Amino acid sequence: MTPRGDLRRAEQGLPRIAVIGSGSWGTTFGKVLADGGAHVVMWARRAELAHEIQEGHRNSEYLPGVNLPRTMSATSHLSEALDGASQVYLAISSQALRQNLKAVRPLVAHTDAPIVSLMKGVEKRTGLRMSQVIEQELHCDPARIAVASGPNLALEIAREQPTAAVISSTSSETAEAVARRARNSYFRTFVNTDVIGTEFGGVLKNLIAVAIGIVDGVGYGENTKASIITRGLVEMTDFAVAYGAQPETLQGLAGLGDLIATCQSPLSRNNTAGRLLGQGYSFQDVVKQMNQTAEGLASVAPVLQLAREAGVQMPIVEQVKMVLDGTMNPRDIAPHLTTDDDQPTGERTQHGQSSGGGALRRTLQRAFDQFRHGRGSAARD
């Protein structure tokens, strides 16, 4: 039997997982799953990209220098990717998700495989979270849907630098099943049932990261950025809680953890987009320069509309929109950090939640314990 035949025979004993979307994050998560003991089939829209992953075990466009596991294969045929999959992971641009799901629906209609969203955005036209779009288009039980979020910069994880993520589903059983599959020696998973908070954390931190990028591009320093991150977390918490989230979720991996990683790293697409805006590029020029989607740019307008409907004030995000629209000089975003009102403002959030340092310390301690002991069971976030 040929070496490829030997590989296929060995893979028959592995759970088969499908990842729809072969950009940097989709490919990275495919690697996470393969390194955790699964046979992963990637779907790529472009046949040449599928061929490179299949034959060369590389994705040089999105993950340069990274070797992919031999238990990862790829195809440009959606039906082939989804055939026999016990779990399905979606890593598509949030604005293109609904259209892509129309082709996915008949291929998963007669299975009970969990559907996992790896996306961090809201649909521009409707303001819906990705799990809501999935529920609508696949006509499936929300208990079958999970979302993954956390401080997850793709290239760092692809290089096997340790990190943690949270898997959330309204069904504890679904969250735990996905968390057990999506873990390995460098990637640890926690679980919760607060899908609203987990998804909005991943969406909202992108908007604050754009603001950080703007002030970085202007040339402001660490005090400015720390102030925006801190007050940005308040805006994130106020918004998410208004829509039914638990405030503790925003203090965990999907909120503060993701916010820190996205705001501080040059690997962040949203931070990069903001930095270009701060350097004087127009919104249209930034979109042209970006090789990958910066979800935060598309989410600003729908998030602000949702904020107005819920009566939530988001001054930092409002100013990001003004920079995007060209009605505010990027240099002016920081002096107006949260309000132009001369009256002193309390530091607590609108919903009366304090900074919750105890909850944050407990979250970090759990993450530390998880890495130290390498426990096989999923932990609570």
Side-chain angles (χ1 to χ4, degrees):
M1 184 176 284
T2 65
R4 182 175 293 276
D6 289 337
L7 175 63
R8 286 176 177 163
R9 183 173 63 182
E11 287 175 351
Q12 286 177 0
L14 301 179
R16 184 180 173 92
I17 305 294
V19 178
I20 308 304
S22 296
S24 58
W25 185 221
T27 306
T28 294
F29 215 89
K31 182 179 187 302
V32 166
L33 293 160
D35 286 341
H39 172 208
V40 177
V41 184
M42 305 292 303
W43 175 78
R45 181 179 300 279
R46 290 180 287 128
E48 63 271 21
L49 178 54
H51 183 268
E52 183 187 23
I53 295 172
Q54 175 74 29
E55 301 299 330
H57 299 286
R58 302 288 285 265
N59 186 337
S60 54
E61 180 178 355
Y62 293 108
L63 295 176
V66 174
N67 293 319
L68 301 175
R70 300 195 68 79
T71 49
M72 284 179 71
S73 58
T75 177
S76 57
H77 301 288
L78 197 56
S79 59
E80 186 178 334
L82 291 168
D83 183 34
S86 60
Q87 294 182 359
V88 178
Y89 292 75
L90 301 172
I92 306 164
S93 166
S94 60
Q95 305 311 315
L97 176 63
R98 188 180 293 275
Q99 187 59 40
N100 279 275
L101 288 178
K102 295 183 187 304
V104 170
R105 184 197 304 162
L107 300 173
V108 299
H110 302 295
T111 76
D112 58 359
I115 310 294
V116 188
S117 168
L118 303 178
M119 299 156 292
K120 298 177 179 179
V122 294
E123 193 173 42
K124 195 170 184 178
R125 180 176 59 84
T126 64
L128 293 177
R129 293 174 283 112
M130 295 297 97
S131 66
Q132 293 174 303
V133 176
I134 293 168
E135 182 183 349
Q136 279 190 357
E137 286 299 322
L138 297 188
H139 303 164
C140 66
D141 185 342
R144 184 180 162 191
I145 300 169
V147 301
S149 196
N152 301 145
L153 297 165
L155 190 56
E156 289 185 4
I157 299 172
R159 291 171 175 167
E160 301 186 9
Q161 297 180 17
T163 192
V166 60
I167 307 297
S168 182
S169 174
T170 57
S171 162
S172 295
E173 182 180 351
T174 298
E176 290 173 7
V178 172
R180 280 192 295 270
R181 179 56 52 211
R183 67 180 302 278
N184 56 44
S185 61
Y186 58 87
F187 193 87
R188 291 295 193 236
T189 45
F190 296 76
V191 296
N192 72 39
T193 55
D194 182 11
V195 175
I196 297 171
T198 300
E199 282 194 289
F200 274 140
V203 172
L204 299 169
K205 59 86 188 179
N206 284 336
L207 313 189
I208 306 305
V210 174
I212 291 294
I214 291 171
V215 301
D216 207 19
V218 167
Y220 291 137
E222 301 308 315
N223 291 333
T224 306
K225 288 184 277 188
S227 299
I228 290 176
I229 289 172
T230 306
R231 296 308 303 171
L233 182 60
V234 172
E235 292 189 18
M236 290 168 57
T237 304
D238 285 342
F239 179 101
V241 170
Y243 277 95
Q246 298 299 314
E248 293 82 3
T249 304
L250 279 297
Q251 297 161 2
L253 291 166
L256 181 58
D258 202 2
L259 178 65
I260 292 170
T262 308
C263 286
Q264 73 172 3
S265 175
L267 295 175
S268 162
R269 289 168 281 186
N270 294 285
N271 183 291
T272 299
R275 193 160 58 250
L276 292 170
L277 289 165
Q279 291 169 353
Y281 290 91
S282 70
F283 172 67
Q284 290 75 18
D285 289 338
V286 170
V287 171
K288 288 178 184 176
Q289 286 205 35
M290 297 290 291
N291 183 40
Q292 302 178 61
T293 304
E295 295 282 14
L297 300 181
S299 298
V300 171
V303 163
L304 284 175
Q305 180 58 38
L306 290 170
R308 293 185 193 106
E309 291 172 3
V312 175
Q313 296 179 358
M314 302 189 79
I316 294 175
V317 181
E318 290 278 7
Q319 291 161 54
V320 168
K321 185 176 189 304
M322 292 171 70
V323 172
L324 290 175
D325 292 344
T327 59
M328 174 180 273
N329 187 311
R331 295 192 64 85
D332 291 336
I333 192 171
H336 302 277
L337 266 173
T338 59
T339 180
D340 285 328
D341 190 342
D342 288 335
Q343 289 297 112
T345 303
E347 196 177 19
R348 296 170 74 86
T349 72
Q350 295 171 25
H351 293 273
Q353 300 293 335
S354 63
S355 60
L360 173 59
R361 283 193 297 275
R362 290 192 296 275
T363 298
L364 295 176
Q365 184 62 49
R366 286 195 296 270
F368 174 75
D369 289 343
Q370 180 84 344
F371 279 116
R372 184 176 62 183
H373 299 302
R375 295 194 305 272
S377 60
R380 296 281 161 186
D381 184 42

